[in-house]
Each structure stands twice: as C-alpha cells, then as structure tokens.
Amino acid sequence: MRARASSVLAASLVLALAVGPLAAPAFAAPHSPATVSASASTSTGTGTGTGTGTGTDGTRGLDRKALRAAIGVVPDQYATAALVRVGGTDGSWRGSAGVRDLASGRPAHPDARFRAGSITKVVTAATVLRLAAQGGIDLDASVQHYLPGLFTAAFDKPISVRQLLNHTSGIPAGDGLGDDFAELYAHRFDTLTPQEDVASAIAKGPEFDPGDQQHYLNVNYTVLGLLVEKVTGRSYAAEATRLVLRPAGMRHTYFPGTDPRIRGPHNRGYQTVARPDGTTGLLDVTEWNQADRWAAGDMISTTADLERLLTSLFRGRIVPQPQLEEMFTTPPGLPEATRSAGLEYKKVGDQVFWGKSGSRYGYSALVGGTRDLSRTLVYSVNATDAKSADPNPVLDAITAAALK
C-alpha cells in the first residue's frame, strides 16, 4: 500500500476547495436555445437545425424529438454538458447541449475531447486481437508464460490471455490511490504506475480459479498492456496507436500518460461534493493524472473518433476473422456473463447491442451498437457524479431515445 494522506485530511481539502465561485452554479434553464444544437441526416438528404428540441418525430426510425428532449435539460444537476451521435443504416443524428465551463457559461464544444475511461478497453482488446491474428500472441497460452516472474506461487493455475480479455482471470483488484473521492482527489496529481497497481493485486493471491467466474476489473487490462509491451518491445500507447487508432482514423484520440491535462478543445468536468453546511457544490475535476488506469482506462477521445472505432471494428477493418468473434463471444459455462473481449451486450426489445461504457470523475461516455450497425450510439456526458452507481436521468434518457 502506498503512503497517502488520511481520509479526514483529504475530505477537508475537498470541502475547502468546493467553497468558491463554481461551488453553487446557476444552471441554465432547460431547453435553452443558446446551449442546444442538433443536426440530422438520412440516406436521402440532410438537414440541420438549432433550438429547443421540438423537431419532427422519427426520421427513418430515429425519434429526433426524443433525442432533442433528452439533452435539452442540460445543464442541470446531473450533467453540465452532453454530446451525442446516433448513426446507422436508419439515419443519423448529432446533438450537443450544456456549457463548456461553468465560469463563462459558453455553449459546450460539440467536438470536444473527453476522458473515455473504460472504453480504452475496447482499443486494448483490439490491439491484443490484432497481435493474435498476426501470430504474435496465442490467446490460449498462459499469461505466466508471456510474463514470467510477474505472478506469485499462489497463482498456481495458468491464466490464459483470453481469460484476461473476458475478465475471468481471478486476479483481484489492485490497491489504487484511495478508497473514496476525497482521498483520490487529494492524490489526483500523483503517479501510480501500472506495475505498482498489478503488483498490489497479485500480492493478494487469486480471487477465484481462472474461468470459474466473470469479475469485471481494470487489472485484467492493465496486465494485457504489460503483455503487449513484452511481446512487441514497444510501448502500449505506440502499439495501440499503430494497430487500432490509425487504421480506424482516430486522429483526435491519444493516451495522456502522466499528463493531467486534456489537450485540445474540451468541456470541463465537475464532481458534486458536500459542503460543511449540508449543501452541495460542484468541484472542477478536469485536470487529473490517470496513469494508473493506463490500458484499462486513460484514453482521451472524441465522439466522432469513437464512432469511427465502432464502425471500423464491426466491419472487420481492424480485427480480422476469426479473432473478431472474440469480441462477440462471452465465456463458456457462465450463462450470466455479459462481457466479451472488450465489449459487453445488452438486449433491448428484439435487438442486441454490443458496446462499452466508461467513466472518470467529471466524464461519462458510451459507445455501442447492433452488430449489423443498423443503429449506433456514442455519447459523452459531463456527469456531475460520474462514478456513482445510482441512475443518471440524462444518460438514461439519451440511451432510451437512441435505442428505440
């Protein structure tokens, strides 16, 4: 365990910082014309419009009115900005709402970069699968074989590369830099290396035998990042860029490493915190060193780039068959498992949507669609409690409107 400030000290720091001009923002009224814009297109023509979200109903299956309404409430207590892209053979729709920052109240940047969080795992999985297609990695081989000396004797059963990809490895979570927001915020500029994170996880011994359960944990993809570097002799970021980002045309996506900033245009992220008087305010959490998330969650991207990633992957342009099937195959013998290599699925009516969500403080994102790409959805929402397990009405409304 790394030395770190006490929770009491960290909490005091957060409360002190929360008392400021941004602690009690005056949210814009719902459906503010100054902060909502949208455009739509179909295979037979295009149209653009701005305003209050009162456009016509479905365009080739897309409910534009519901989509406009979903983001028209932003900014509110749940989000300060929202960027949405809905696409597919049914047509497309683009929308943005909210503010770039609370201090200026400027409209949200529609092409902003943001922290994609665990959507990074899609890129990591695709990188590993491309290396497998090229013969550089055997998905059935043990991780102990590729990374000798990494595991303790307690891990006496082989863990396959495939089991890392689908979260059935049995490796427990690492310690991290804190146990709650206050403690993590106090250490937001500290660096916890991937090696340190993995070492703290392995020191605990296996959580279960490989293949017995599916437990979604970042550590699986952190180990995959180490594996990529071992077999290629190059950095994870360089290989992921070469094998996935460039072929997909993701020109505005990058891995920040220890840089706490978001380079390029971006909408600032905020977290709801409690004040000593029992009220709440918003704390700017835009700058944050995400190095410990690494191959599991430190990527910065745009909605357009994530849409390119999804369509390129599902069309087989990044990962060839048969390796691509790993992204649409859940582990055998675990009927309740919903996660595959880099993706997870959800049934909505008679359709199955494959995708991945991601969140870092201040930012919630999602990319997904049907396998035939008849409907796709990408969003970035500057959620004010992005790591909470409670439902966020803005995210739920966007998803419901897009996946009708």
Side-chain angles (χ1 to χ4, degrees):
M1 179 76 71
R2 293 167 59 92
R4 58 196 186 203
S6 69
S7 295
V8 174
L9 176 61
S12 299
L13 173 62
V14 170
L15 291 171
L17 290 173
V19 181
L22 301 183
F27 290 115
H31 308 297
S32 167
T35 59
V36 180
S37 64
S39 64
S41 66
T42 70
S43 58
T44 58
T46 61
T48 60
T50 61
T52 63
T54 58
T56 59
D57 286 340
T59 301
R60 292 179 62 87
L62 294 183
D63 190 339
R64 295 172 58 195
K65 183 176 180 179
L67 287 164
R68 286 175 180 261
I71 66 171
V73 299
V74 178
D76 67 359
Q77 69 188 88
Y78 300 105
T80 58
L83 313 177
V84 180
R85 300 175 72 91
V86 182
T89 55
D90 291 338
S92 63
W93 185 88
R94 311 283 182 264
S96 64
V99 295
R100 194 169 306 189
D101 62 89
L102 294 176
S104 72
R106 293 176 299 169
H109 197 298
D111 300 312
R113 292 180 177 181
F114 53 86
R115 300 194 187 280
S118 286
I119 295 175
T120 309
K121 293 181 178 70
V122 181
V123 171
T124 301
T127 301
V128 171
L129 293 173
R130 279 209 67 178
L131 290 170
Q134 296 170 1
I137 292 177
D138 181 351
L139 300 183
D140 293 315
S142 73
V143 187
Q144 291 94 327
H145 165 73
Y146 284 112
L147 299 169
L150 181 65
F151 292 87
T152 64
F155 289 86
D156 57 348
K157 294 181 172 60
I159 300 169
S160 72
V161 176
R162 182 178 284 107
Q163 288 167 337
L164 288 176
L165 286 166
N166 63 27
H167 298 281
T168 61
S169 70
I171 305 172
D175 288 336
L177 286 169
D179 299 321
D180 56 25
F181 169 74
E183 199 167 16
L184 290 167
Y185 182 82
H187 291 277
R188 68 194 183 282
F189 296 129
D190 293 353
T191 296
L192 177 67
T193 68
Q195 291 81 2
E196 290 174 315
D197 182 52
V198 171
S200 69
I202 290 175
K204 300 175 184 179
E207 182 181 15
F208 52 82
D209 286 345
D212 280 3
Q213 301 177 37
Q214 185 175 72
H215 187 184
Y216 175 79
L217 289 172
N218 286 327
V219 68
N220 291 296
Y221 277 68
T222 305
V223 175
L224 284 171
L226 297 176
L227 173 62
V228 167
E229 294 195 335
K230 182 62 180 293
V231 300
T232 66
R234 292 179 288 272
S235 73
Y236 161 78
E239 283 301 277
T241 300
R242 180 179 72 88
L243 294 173
V244 181
L245 302 191
R246 286 177 185 165
M250 300 170 70
R251 295 176 296 171
H252 303 291
T253 300
Y254 72 99
F255 304 96
T258 59
D259 187 350
R261 301 166 300 170
I262 298 177
R263 301 198 301 265
H266 59 278
N267 302 318
R268 300 195 71 82
Y270 300 90
Q271 171 64 30
T272 300
V273 294
R275 296 198 197 96
D277 63 1
T279 61
T280 60
L282 293 180
L283 185 66
D284 192 321
V285 292
T286 308
E287 276 76 45
W288 201 303
N289 179 348
Q290 307 281 344
D292 61 317
R293 301 299 89 183
W294 198 44
D298 85 331
M299 187 172 73
I300 289 173
S301 192
T302 67
T303 55
D305 271 8
L306 292 184
E307 188 175 62
R308 294 185 185 99
L309 173 66
L310 184 76
T311 55
S312 296
L313 274 174
F314 284 21
R315 288 172 178 163
R317 295 174 180 171
I318 306 297
V319 178
Q321 294 285 358
Q323 288 77 21
L324 182 60
E325 288 305 311
E326 299 287 340
M327 304 194 84
F328 301 100
T329 303
T330 55
L334 299 175
E336 302 302 316
T338 59
R339 300 182 185 274
S340 60
L343 300 175
E344 59 184 305
Y345 76 86
K346 181 178 182 179
K347 293 182 179 179
V348 180
D350 60 351
Q351 298 188 89
V352 177
F353 290 87
W354 290 89
K356 187 73 188 75
S357 61
S359 63
R360 304 307 303 150
Y361 286 111
Y363 300 89
S364 293
L366 179 138
V367 58
T370 56
R371 188 169 180 180
D372 64 1
L373 296 174
S374 60
R375 180 63 55 87
T376 64
L377 168 64
V378 181
Y379 68 62
S380 169
V381 173
N382 292 63
T384 57
D385 197 7
K387 300 297 290 183
S388 173
D390 295 331
N392 183 308
V394 174
L395 305 185
D396 292 346
I398 291 171
T399 304
L403 303 186
K404 283 185 176 181

